[in-house]
Amino acid sequence: MDAAVPTGTSKQQAVGVISAVVFRDRSMSEVLLGVRRPTPLVKRFPGVVSTPTMGVPWQVFQALDPGTAHRQQQAPVERLAQSSWFEVGGGGYLSTIGGYALEHLMARKLGLAPALVMGQFRASARLWARSLDNVSDPLGTEEHQWTAMLTYVVTVGEGAEEVPAETGSYSRLLWTPIETARAAVLARDALVLDDTLDPFEVCLQGLCLRSIVGLLDELVSAGKQTASNPLLGAPGVVVDGLSQTVLE
């Protein structure tokens, strides 16, 4: 299995994906969403609104989440216990496998390679959830794909303005108030995000959005965000001081 390319035909053959829930700053009041653009290498989800995501080799996925716990989980989305924050940008790719993977995602999908190289984009991140589901094809075919996804919370400390309005992977990139993002996901209505989007071409569905509903619920319920927001800690636990050491 370690050397083979997963086929997505079963839980045992789930393809590995990482998802970055990128917040514009430490207030966590705006989140980055994109409208996927079909490319020669990625044709599966054209016009779907999503968080920035990227498929990764199975060896990388297992390095990020060792073991086989995702194959035994019962719920499609499982919030994970408290994990450590790590750096993205500023040399973070040399410190942790998570930093390396997220910098690759941001360079490849968000066009941030120049900003990362020049030290103009820096963020803090931590693993927040693990998801596993048999994902349907939004194009309406009968094809499904078992997908294992790791969702990371990312708070930008410097360089949010470096995120472009579009990239090769996304026809639109939108900084969206969390209340608006939550309302749009629950209603499955792209026009809630931006009324200039074409409702016949753009839709809201997919594992990456389902995996953040609980996170958005917590943020909206908490109102003004602080370093001790419960989503930053273990399930049901308010953790003091996380941001004092990492986000300041």
Side-chain angles (χ1 to χ4, degrees), residues 10 13 34 36 70 83 123 167 237:
S10 67
Q13 288 287 330
R36 293 192 181 186
H70 67 278
S83 61
T167 67
V237 178

Side-chain angles (χ1 to χ4, degrees), residues 65-136:
D65 186 35
T68 59
H70 67 278
R71 296 174 185 162
Q72 280 77 48
Q73 71 182 61
Q74 300 302 310
V77 180
E78 178 182 318
R79 178 175 166 177
L80 301 177
Q82 178 182 343
S83 61
S84 300
W85 288 89
F86 56 86
E87 185 179 24
V88 179
Y93 71 98
L94 293 175
S95 302
T96 64
I97 185 68
Y100 184 90
L102 287 177
E103 286 195 27
H104 189 176
L105 182 157
M106 291 177 181
R108 183 178 179 87
K109 297 301 188 76
L110 300 183
L112 289 175
L116 287 165
V117 169
M118 299 304 294
Q120 296 168 340
F121 183 90
R122 301 175 70 110
S124 296
R126 59 156 295 209
L127 182 59
W128 187 80
R130 180 198 297 117
S131 305
L132 177 69
D133 203 5
N134 196 13
V135 179
S136 62

Side-chain angles (χ1 to χ4, degrees), residues 202-242:
V202 178
C203 65
L204 277 85
Q205 68 177 82
L207 189 57
C208 64
L209 291 184
R210 282 186 284 137
S211 71
I212 69 168
V213 170
L215 187 155
L216 293 176
D217 282 345
E218 290 190 41
L219 283 171
V220 172
S221 297
K224 184 178 179 181
Q225 301 310 305
T226 66
S228 59
N229 188 280
L231 77 88
L232 300 178
V237 178
V238 176
V239 179
D240 294 321
L242 276 174

